[in-house]
Amino acid sequence: MDITLEVNGETRHLSIDPRVTLLDALRERLGITGPKKGCDRGQCGACTVHVDGRPVLACLTLAATVREPVRTVEGLAADGRPHPVQQAFAEQDALQCGFCTSGQVMSAVAAVEQEVADVREFMSGNLCRCAAYPNIVAAVEQARSTKESADARV
Amino acid sequence: MRAFELTAPTTLDEALTSGATALAGGTTLVDLMKLDVLTPPRVVDINALPLRGIEVDPAGDLRIGALERMSAVAAHPQVYPVISRALLLSASQQLRNMASIGGNLMQRTRCGYFRDVAMPCNRRDPGSGCPAIEGANRMHAVLGTSDACVATHASDLAVALVALDARIELVSTQGGRSVALADFYRLPGDTPEREHDLRPGELIGEIVVPRLDWAARSTYVKVRDRQSYEFALCSVAVALDVRDGRVADVRIAAGGVGTVPWRLTAVEAALRGGPADEAAFEAAAQVAADGARPLSHNGYKTALLPRTVVRALLEVSRG
Ligand SMILES: Cc1cc2nc3c(=O)[nH]c(=O)nc-3n(C[C@H](O)[C@H](O)[C@H](O)COP(=O)(O)OP(=O)(O)OC[C@H]3O[C@@H](n4cnc5c(N)ncnc54)[C@H](O)[C@@H]3O)c2cc1C
Ligand code: SF4
Ligand code: FES
Ligand code: FES
């Protein structure tokens, strides 16, 4: 079937089998390989992307059912500068092998936007095989305080 | 995954006459299709149907459209705390953004044998046997089990809704009908493959939670192997009405222990009219696991259930 996806602000047309997940459409058909395939069963969070601004699991989403804009980690940087959450991950050394990182970052962006009270609880759907958890939490908290001070300035 | 035909109608009539398997958030359906546990030839994406909205009607009943997402329901200010808590302790934020509450009530058991097509399983393949009874059954049920199946019902939301006497409104081309959620789920008996009372051509349209003013004092306690992002070993939904130190009324249901969401009417009866204190809670909770049939690895649940009941009652009476 023919579908249209809006990914990171660009409109893309695809002809796919209904079985194709959003994750496979992004990675295999559109060459957008930031979202990772960890478990492919909705259990690890490595494939987390935003649909209509909300984090979802691309591996359990059929591409043909996506009606709203998709944002992946590739769409976060603006004007060649990393997103504040990406900057915080780099500064806090919040990764080891990096396989889970794009999913962690997409959830972290939502955590900062939603001003969540309990970072560890909110981030529990993103597993890290390297157990970089303390630094991931530190990065989310840093990004949150950066945002708070930016909000206070306006 | 087996090939299937996908349609996405915008009217209820088209969806109801399609004869296809409904797809809402897909977090159960797509998962089980990838595992070849479910192999529907036709799938109907129901997300464009008008089954949305969260509102309190003139009678004070809370009505929630079946397609509302778990995250939206949990965040809604008019939803009772026990429902919000049950949802927020379910799955992960990504899954809650995807999953609908109608799909949540229709989710399938997490029994590992059910999910593995290389294994026998009476629920998936009637008559093939139940390896859980002699096998890995630490997560399995102790209440409502049969010789054919001992799998738990996995929904946290359903436990909260059964405690509150919720109904579901079913829609079909024949018109609608209203069913108490507690009557919707079937005990496994000899036919574990028949899990519920949804007839072909029907969809869950709406969930209705009857007005219960004192349910503002309610909570959900979930005991699990990890602190977050895990199914319940045992969970308890409680709403408690305390007046002058006595239990005027109470609703309790348990999850993780039964083959269906398990209402604890005997505990409720033992509490009603008595003092709202720890000693009375402990005494009443003793009957919680009455009739339990422990298996080789899940006997701990008969002790965990009364303790979880007491913890939930204490939390809500102090809160
Ligand atoms: C890793 C993981 C962890 C999880 N943890 C928890 C947890 O802790 N607690 C918990 O409660 N749940 C948990 N879940 C289950 C999750 O909540 C369910 O998968 C989800 O709620 C199903 O909703 P959905 O909209 O995605 O359903 P779908 O997958 O779209 O559908 C599920 C079933 O319901 C049917 N259906 C859907 N909508 C309707 C309708 N309106 N009328 C009739 N039939 C319908 C479909 O045909 C299908 O058979 C977890 C799931 C995963 C993958
Ligand atoms: S407990 Fe039920 S679902 Fe699990 S293997 Fe036995 S029959 Fe299948
Ligand atoms: S790859 Fe999607 S959750 Fe693991
Ligand atoms: S950094 Fe290796 S899995 Fe998280």
Side-chain angles (χ1 to χ4, degrees), chain A residues 18-73:
Chain A
R19 283 176 284 189
V20 174
T21 61
L22 177 60
L23 181 60
D24 284 340
L26 291 169
R27 291 182 55 86
E28 310 296 334
R29 302 293 300 275
L30 298 176
I32 298 172
T33 55
K36 295 289 183 277
K37 187 180 282 191
C39 64
D40 209 22
R41 294 284 179 274
Q43 297 177 359
C44 74
C47 64
T48 304
V49 301
H50 291 192
V51 172
D52 197 23
R54 297 172 308 159
V56 301
L57 302 174
C59 73
L60 287 187
T61 304
L62 295 179
T65 63
V66 177
R67 298 175 178 87
E68 288 128 343
V70 178
R71 187 150 78 142
T72 70
V73 73

Side-chain angles (χ1 to χ4, degrees), chain A residues 139-153:
Chain A
V140 181
E141 274 162 3
Q142 177 184 323
R144 195 168 53 178
S145 46
T146 313
K147 177 173 182 278
E148 273 162 19
S149 47
D151 288 351
R153 260 183 267 124

Side-chain angles (χ1 to χ4, degrees), chain A residues 18-19 21 40-45 48 54-57 59-62 64-65 67 107 121-122 124-126, chain B residues 1-4 6 8 23 26-27 30-31 34-35 45 47 69 88 92-95 97-98 115 228-229:
Chain A
R19 283 176 284 189
T21 61
D40 209 22
R41 294 284 179 274
Q43 297 177 359
C44 74
T48 304
R54 297 172 308 159
V56 301
L57 302 174
C59 73
L60 287 187
T61 304
L62 295 179
T65 63
R67 298 175 178 87
S107 287
E121 170 59 35
F122 189 86
S124 71
N126 290 86
Chain B
M1 204 189 300
R2 307 290 171 84
F4 59 91
L6 181 68
L23 173 80
T27 62
V30 175
D31 185 26
K34 286 185 173 189
L35 295 168
D45 174 359
N47 287 291
R69 302 294 149 186
L88 289 172
S92 64
Q93 50 94 15
Q94 298 100 310
L95 286 158
N97 284 337
M98 302 168 72
R115 292 170 58 82
S228 181
Y229 194 27

Side-chain angles (χ1 to χ4, degrees), chain B residues 169-233:
Chain B
E169 304 288 339
L170 304 175
V171 292
S172 78
T173 50
Q174 322 297 311
R177 62 189 178 107
S178 178
V179 181
L181 187 61
D183 299 333
F184 181 70
Y185 295 119
R186 291 194 180 153
L187 292 170
D190 295 333
T191 53
E193 72 281 8
R194 296 170 63 199
E195 299 186 354
H196 49 69
D197 181 27
L198 192 78
R199 298 175 193 153
E202 278 183 334
L203 284 174
I204 301 176
E206 215 177 25
I207 291 160
V208 183
V209 186
R211 177 176 183 165
L212 192 67
D213 294 333
W214 50 269
R217 202 177 207 183
S218 63
T219 198
Y220 189 77
V221 170
K222 183 171 175 182
V223 181
R224 42 190 169 169
D225 283 332
R226 300 188 282 211
Q227 193 180 336
S228 181
Y229 194 27
E230 184 54 277
F231 289 91
L233 298 171

Side-chain angles (χ1 to χ4, degrees), chain B residues 109-139:
Chain B
T109 182
R110 306 300 291 195
C111 171
Y113 302 107
F114 174 81
R115 292 170 58 82
D116 181 354
V117 291
M119 297 300 291
C121 166
N122 286 328
R123 199 175 275 269
R124 172 170 38 75
D125 182 10
S128 61
C130 173
I133 290 174
E134 301 287 333
N137 53 39
R138 182 175 162 271
M139 301 290 288

